[in-house]
């Protein structure tokens, strides 16, 4: 049976950033061409004939934001026939985690960070893609450690608690959180204490044990908070 097919393949990048002051955010680009000209969208683009999906999403993200990101994980495929008004486009979405203050956006590129709770109107089906990515991120922290890509090299334990609360978008059981996290062995207490500007008792700073951290990511954890 002959199958008529005229499908283009694209990639989209859902890149989350986090800071203690701004919370969880997304890096978006403003489209400069139709359709949806002037509307915000996820970075990405069409896959070239001679490149892998991974190379395509890294290239597309770099070209549209001016930023090189080292790690993107495949999220989901989106292939509704009407998702692009120009032609049939199937998109393979990826997501990743970065620290927004770890790089500078080029002034010549129309890209910006938006808090996930205050996103602008989005092009195509990118709102659906983002919702699935947020759901994946929330689920991910129950079976993988997160934070290495998002926190300072040394940080107070309260910073990790705040990160988990922000990602989950709900309060956590702080009384048992530390005990549960420490049992996995990927967090190390240093001898240094945080510098407090006001009154209060300074706590010790922590850092990730890289070996145990990435081993835990590979083997998985069972973390209920």
């Amino acid at each position: 049976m002959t199958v008529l097919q005229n499908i283009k393949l694209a990639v989209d990048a859902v890149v989350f950033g986090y800071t203690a002051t701004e919370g969880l955010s997304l890096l978006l680009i403003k489209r400069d061409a139709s359709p949806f000209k002037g509307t915000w969208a996820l970075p990405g683009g069409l896959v070239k004939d001679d490149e892998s999906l991974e190379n395509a999403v890294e290239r597309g993200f770099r070209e549209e934001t001016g930023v090189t990101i080292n790690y993107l994980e495949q999220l989901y495929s989106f292939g509704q026939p009407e998702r692009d008004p120009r032609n049939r486009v199937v998109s393979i979405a990826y997501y990743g985690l970065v620290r927004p203050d770890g790089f500078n956006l080029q002034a010549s590129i129309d890209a910006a960070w938006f808090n996930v709770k205050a996103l602008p109107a989005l092009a195509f089906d990118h709102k659906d893609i983002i919702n699935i990515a947020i759901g994946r991120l929330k689920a991910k922290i129950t079976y993988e450690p997160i934070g290495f890509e998002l926190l300072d090299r040394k940080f107070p334990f309260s910073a990790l608690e705040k990160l988990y609360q922000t990602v989950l978008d709900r309060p956590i059981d702080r009384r048992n959180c530390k005990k549960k996290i420490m049992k996995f062995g990927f967090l190390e207490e240093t001898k240094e204490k945080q510098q407090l500007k006001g009154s209060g008792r300074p706590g010790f700073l922590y850092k990730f044990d890289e070996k145990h951290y990435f081993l835990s990511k590979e083997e998985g954890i069972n973390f209920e908070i």
Side-chain angles (χ1 to χ4, degrees):
M1 182 178 67
T2 302
V3 177
L4 297 177
Q5 189 181 70
N6 184 25
I7 298 177
K8 296 182 181 296
L9 183 62
V11 287
D12 288 300
V14 185
V15 176
F16 292 104
Y18 173 82
T19 64
T21 55
E22 299 298 326
L24 193 65
S25 56
L26 275 172
L27 185 58
L28 302 175
I29 56 105
K30 182 175 285 188
R31 289 183 56 78
D32 60 1
S34 297
F36 303 104
K37 184 176 181 179
T39 304
W40 293 93
L42 293 169
L46 295 176
V47 180
K48 295 180 180 179
D49 289 343
D50 61 349
E51 66 183 348
S52 68
L53 293 174
E54 290 74 17
N55 288 342
V57 71
E58 290 173 2
R59 174 188 56 78
F61 187 78
R62 182 178 63 254
E63 289 177 352
E64 294 199 322
T65 68
V67 173
T68 299
I69 185 169
N70 296 323
Y71 177 77
L72 285 168
E73 179 178 325
Q74 194 170 124
L75 173 66
Y76 201 75
S77 57
F78 298 83
Q80 290 297 324
E82 70 281 1
R83 63 179 304 272
D84 190 320
R86 295 167 296 185
N87 42 46
R88 181 76 192 276
V89 180
V90 174
S91 177
I92 310 299
Y94 286 73
Y95 78 108
L97 304 171
V98 298
R99 288 179 53 190
D101 56 2
F103 50 81
N104 294 317
L105 296 177
Q106 295 182 15
S108 59
I109 294 178
D110 209 348
W113 289 98
F114 291 88
N115 188 283
V116 293
K117 292 186 175 182
L119 295 176
L122 295 164
F124 305 105
D125 57 352
H126 289 185
K127 179 62 175 176
D128 295 333
I129 296 176
I130 290 169
N131 286 339
I132 288 178
I134 291 173
R136 175 72 66 84
L137 183 59
K138 288 182 177 181
K140 188 182 183 72
I141 66 175
T142 65
Y143 61 84
E144 271 191 23
I146 66 169
F148 188 86
E149 301 88 349
L150 301 174
L151 297 176
D152 294 332
R153 193 174 69 86
K154 295 179 182 179
F155 51 87
F157 193 85
S158 59
L160 185 61
E161 289 180 328
K162 185 173 182 179
L163 169 62
Y164 274 80
Q165 288 187 110
T166 301
V167 171
L168 290 170
D169 193 25
R170 63 168 173 82
I172 63 173
D173 183 0
R174 297 188 64 188
R175 293 173 300 176
N176 296 315
C177 181
K178 185 174 183 178
K179 180 172 64 176
K180 289 181 177 180
I181 290 180
M182 293 303 292
K183 75 175 183 179
F184 293 112
F186 58 74
L187 208 60
E188 178 184 340
E189 183 180 274
T190 71
K191 301 300 182 182
E192 300 176 45
K193 290 190 175 183
Q194 63 184 126
Q195 302 294 319
L196 297 179
K197 295 182 179 180
S199 60
R201 184 178 179 183
F204 285 103
L205 297 177
Y206 291 79
K207 65 179 182 180
F208 290 109
D209 181 316
E210 288 193 43
K211 180 179 178 181
H212 284 90
Y213 181 86
F214 289 106
L215 183 63
S216 296
K217 285 181 74 74
E218 291 177 5
E219 296 181 346
I221 60 176
N222 184 9
F223 186 42
E224 296 277 344
I225 54 175

